[in-house]
């Protein structure tokens, strides 16, 4: 059994703590050295096989039109409010800036707005290089494909911009796909804030600095090894930029949570008079079971995103899974080593902790429960008893509240926030605003049409005419035709911004109506590509695959819980309640990010669509995390049911006995996740707010109201399992038996 294996593992680590701690120190050192020697930097490549934008990219690459690689844009305007680029001084500065940009490593070419003005002002305006009033100019910089570039190319461009701002009478701003691919993710300060918040909550929960420090120390060890391993992975394949931030967010949350579960059980055993090493082994054997199960569920759920067939999501999920697995391993090896080294000191609170806890107990008017190690256990017992006596109104009210919070999901719109959603402190946002001011919002997200005429000489002219006539298109740059292949490329500027729903409608209309009408029924073909089209295609694919993924995760979770608890209704209820909490989190995200409700509280400067891949990522992570609380809580309820045979008593005692730990764990996770919700990047904000909301709802409304209410209504049927199914199901390694003492469980409620 898993319990016996964990008992041996935990007790062994507690008996030889310094060996285990030394092994983790060596592992962390080796991981960091490997990251320095072989690691790479994160990079975003939001493409996927079989998409129309991918076919366009293949044609563009075949034609060698220069549109197939990475791009950047340098946007400039004279510092003198009265000057324009029609003036000699500003034009000379613009010419020098372009020359400096062209000399950067790996730059294939740069557009020449000054030269276009010399050729004719109308040419420059139509080419999208100089605004009609002559105040804003754009130097478009062409790089090779991403595989031949690195973050050093972005650093070189940024450094040049800093130098030119000091030398030229120009305001210089920058943006483009080079920034998107190689910008470092933010989150370092958020990790520190999350750790500090977790430390405070742990100290208040345990009243001991030592007890509060151990989960933090374990999480830091695990995060170091996990993120370093992720960096090594980035040296082998493209790891998306969100992976380190998401890995840190989830790693800190689950790592501290897992440690909290084990530590709470350890202190219970110490309070019963067990030797610290035996207490550590038993804590890992009992609380370690739900940790292993929940961590495995998180990993399997995240890896299941491969069903979307979007490579960057698959690799990102793998990277985050590495961090979660590292935290599980640390929870059952490093933490018991810490517990063994701490000895009996964890059984008592420190002086400050005792004073705080005494004040808390006095306010409650109740004595501490020494077995549970928490003053408010009696209060939780009264609350759960109250809910159990009135299950119908609480079940209906809580379910209605969550369904109401889920309603905004009906208006969910996926996309990718463009640079217009970044704060004004970022140069990408300032460049975006200048381009929108000078040329229109659609210039920030051009589409690239690639066409193979297949011997039809009139195809290109028909394409230009029909695309130009579309109401969603502001302008079309002159077509470029490769003489060797005959492939034509057209750069098309929509009338609306990249994240606007109207742009997605225009893209769909081009593919389904405009291009087929221009091409006819011959052998010619045309595809729409470019960054905006690629992101839209990826979003559509993830939306199409999301129902399949959700169904697979639900089925897997149901089967696993059925194996653990030998029940039909318990896993069914768990699946439905988890769906409610996740749906409510989605609804809050739509209300905040799409509707703008309370967006200013997290520094959101503009409404944005929900990032296309976030709903799938959130579902995978949240369903796994909710299993933490589900298994931890139901394991205790099941233990009480095995011990007493009374469903009502089992619900009250099991939920009350885990309530303090679950709420403390939830507070830690919410604090960690919310610390990431105030970063600059909208995607990170969505991850942080979505995770924090779901965990808060799950640990309060679901676990402390809906679970006791619904289990009371179901009664003994909670543990019902048809006899034929009981005989078919294997005896899983993650059993829900009581403690690893050999105590025989009472008979189950099974139909024979």
């Amino acid at each position: 059994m898993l319990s016996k294996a964990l008992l041996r593992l935990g007790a062994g680590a507690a008996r030889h703590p310094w060996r285990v701690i030394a092994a983790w120190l060596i592992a962390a050192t080796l991981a960091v050295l490997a990251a320095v020697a072989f690691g790479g930097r994160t990079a975003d490549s939001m493409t996927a096989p079989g998409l129309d934008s991918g076919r366009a990219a293949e044609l563009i690459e075949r034609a060698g039109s220069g549109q197939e690689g990475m791009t950047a844009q340098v946007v400039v305007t004279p510092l003198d409010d009265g000057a324009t680029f029609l003036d000699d001084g500003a034009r000379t500065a613009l010419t020098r800036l372009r020359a400096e940009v062209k000399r950067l490593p790996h730059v294939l070419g740069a557009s020449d707005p000054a030269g276009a003005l010399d050729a004719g002002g109308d040419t420059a305006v139509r080419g999208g290089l100089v605004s009609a009033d002559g105040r804003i100019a754009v130097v478009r910089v062409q790089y090779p494909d991403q595989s031949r570039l690195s973050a050093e190319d972005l650093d070189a461009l940024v450094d040049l911009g800093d130098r030119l701002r000091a030398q030229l009478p120009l305001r210089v701003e920058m943006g483009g796909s080079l920034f998107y691919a190689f910008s470092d993710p933010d989150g370092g300060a958020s990790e520190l804030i999350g750790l500090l918040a977790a430390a405070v909550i742990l100290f208040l929960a345990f009243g001991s600095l030592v007890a509060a420090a151990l989960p933090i120390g374990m999480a830091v060890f695990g995060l170091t090894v996990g993120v370093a391993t992720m960096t090594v992975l980035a040296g082998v394949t493209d790891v998306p930029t969100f992976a380190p931030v998401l890995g840190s967010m989830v790693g800190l949350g689950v790592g501290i949570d897992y440690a909290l579960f084990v530590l709470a059980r350890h202190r219970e055993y110490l309070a019963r008079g067990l030797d610290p090493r035996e207490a550590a082994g038993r804590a890992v054997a009992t609380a370690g079971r739900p940790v292993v199960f929940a961590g495995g569920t998180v990993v399997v759920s995240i890896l299941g995103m491969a069903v979307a067939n979007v490579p960057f999501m698959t690799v990102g999920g793998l990277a985050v899974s590495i961090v979660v697995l590292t935290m599980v391993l640390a929870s059952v090896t490093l933490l018991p080593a810490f517990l063994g080294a701490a000895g009996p000191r964890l059984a008592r609170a420190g002086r400050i902790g005792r004073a705080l806890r005494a004040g808390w107990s006095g306010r409650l008017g109740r004595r501490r429960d020494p077995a549970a190690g928490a003053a408010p256990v009696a209060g939780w017992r009264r609350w759960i008893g109250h809910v159990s006596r009135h299950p119908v109104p609480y079940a209906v009210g809580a379910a209605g509240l969550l369904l109401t919070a889920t309603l905004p999901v009906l208006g969910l719109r996926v996309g990718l926030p463009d640079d217009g959603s970044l704060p004004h402190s970022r140069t990408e946002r300032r460049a975006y605003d200048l381009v929108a001011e000078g040329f229109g919002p659609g210039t920030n997200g051009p589409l690239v049409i690639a066409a193979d005429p297949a011997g039809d000489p009139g195809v290109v002219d028909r394409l230009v005419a029909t695309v130009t006539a579309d109401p969603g298109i502001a302008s079309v740059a002159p077509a470029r035709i490769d003489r060797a292949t005959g492939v034509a490329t057209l750069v098309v500027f929509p009338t609306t911004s990249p994240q606007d729903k109207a742009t997605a409608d225009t893209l769909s209309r081009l593919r389904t109506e405009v291009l087929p009408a221009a091409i006819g029924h011959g052998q010619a073909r045309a595809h729409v590509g470019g960054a905006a089209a690629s992101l839209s295609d990826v979003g559509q694919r993830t939306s199409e695959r999301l129902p399949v993924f959700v169904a697979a995760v639900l089925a897997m979770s149901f089967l696993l819980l059925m194996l653990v608890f030998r029940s039909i209704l318990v896993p069914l209820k768990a699946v439905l309640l988890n769906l409610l909490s996740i749906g409510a989190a989605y609804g809050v995200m739509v209300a905040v990010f799409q509707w703008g409700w309370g967006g200013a509280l997290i520094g959101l400067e503009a409404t944005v669509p929900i990032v296309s891949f976030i709903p799938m990522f959130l579902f995978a992570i949240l369903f796994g995390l909710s299993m933490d609380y589900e298994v931890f809580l139901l394991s205790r309820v099941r233990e009480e049911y095995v011990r007493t045979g009374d469903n009502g008593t089992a619900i009250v005692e099991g939920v009350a006995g885990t309530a303090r730990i679950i709420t403390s764990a939830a507070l830690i996770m919410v604090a960690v996740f919310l610390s990431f919700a105030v970063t600059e990047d909208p995607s990170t904000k969505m991850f942080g707010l979505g995770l924090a909301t779901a965990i808060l709802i799950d640990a309060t409304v679901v676990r402390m109201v809906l679970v006791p209410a619904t289990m009371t209504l179901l009664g003994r049927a909670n543990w019902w399992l048809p006899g034929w199914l009981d005989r078919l199901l294997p005896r899983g390694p993650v059993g829900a038996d009581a403690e690893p003492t050999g105590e025989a469980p009472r008979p189950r409620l099974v139909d024979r």
Side-chain angles (χ1 to χ4, degrees), residues 339-390:
L339 299 179
R345 286 178 292 173
L346 293 175
R348 57 185 182 274
R351 183 180 303 172
I352 299 176
R354 287 196 299 271
L356 289 172
R357 298 283 287 279
W360 178 254
S361 301
R363 285 192 297 273
L364 287 173
R366 295 287 176 183
R367 289 187 308 161
R368 247 180 90 188
D369 183 340
V377 168
W380 282 114
R381 192 176 288 119
R382 289 196 302 274
W383 167 252
I384 302 303
H386 172 72
V387 172
S388 299
R389 288 191 298 273
H390 307 87

Side-chain angles (χ1 to χ4, degrees), residues 482-633:
D482 180 62
R483 293 185 179 181
T485 62
V487 172
T489 55
L490 290 79
V491 179
V492 178
F493 299 99
T495 57
T496 49
S497 67
Q499 70 179 21
D500 199 308
K501 184 179 182 299
T503 303
D505 295 339
T506 297
L507 176 62
S508 176
R509 189 168 58 251
L510 288 176
R511 287 172 170 164
T512 58
E513 301 176 16
V514 177
L515 298 188
I519 290 174
H521 301 288
Q523 298 297 315
R525 59 194 179 103
H527 306 283
V528 185
S534 296
L535 296 172
S536 177
D537 289 351
V538 168
Q540 183 175 354
R541 170 166 289 184
T542 54
S543 297
E544 291 171 352
R545 301 289 175 89
L546 183 61
V548 177
F549 171 74
V550 168
V553 172
L554 293 180
M556 177 198 69
S557 301
F558 177 83
L559 291 174
L560 288 176
L561 286 174
M562 186 168 61
L563 282 173
V564 171
F565 295 108
R566 317 298 293 183
S567 164
I568 292 289
L569 295 181
V570 162
L572 180 61
K573 171 191 63 64
V575 165
L576 294 177
L577 295 187
N578 288 345
L579 275 178
L580 276 178
S581 61
I582 294 173
Y586 282 1
V588 170
M589 287 172 57
V590 171
V592 172
F593 291 97
Q594 289 185 209
W595 301 351
W597 292 6
L601 297 176
I602 58 172
L604 188 68
E605 298 190 2
T607 57
V608 294
I610 303 302
V611 177
S612 56
F613 56 85
I614 282 184
M616 186 174 285
F617 254 106
L618 279 185
F619 187 87
I621 295 169
L622 288 172
F623 217 88
L625 294 182
S626 64
M627 289 297 104
D628 289 4
Y629 303 139
E630 188 72 25
V631 176
F632 188 70
L633 185 152

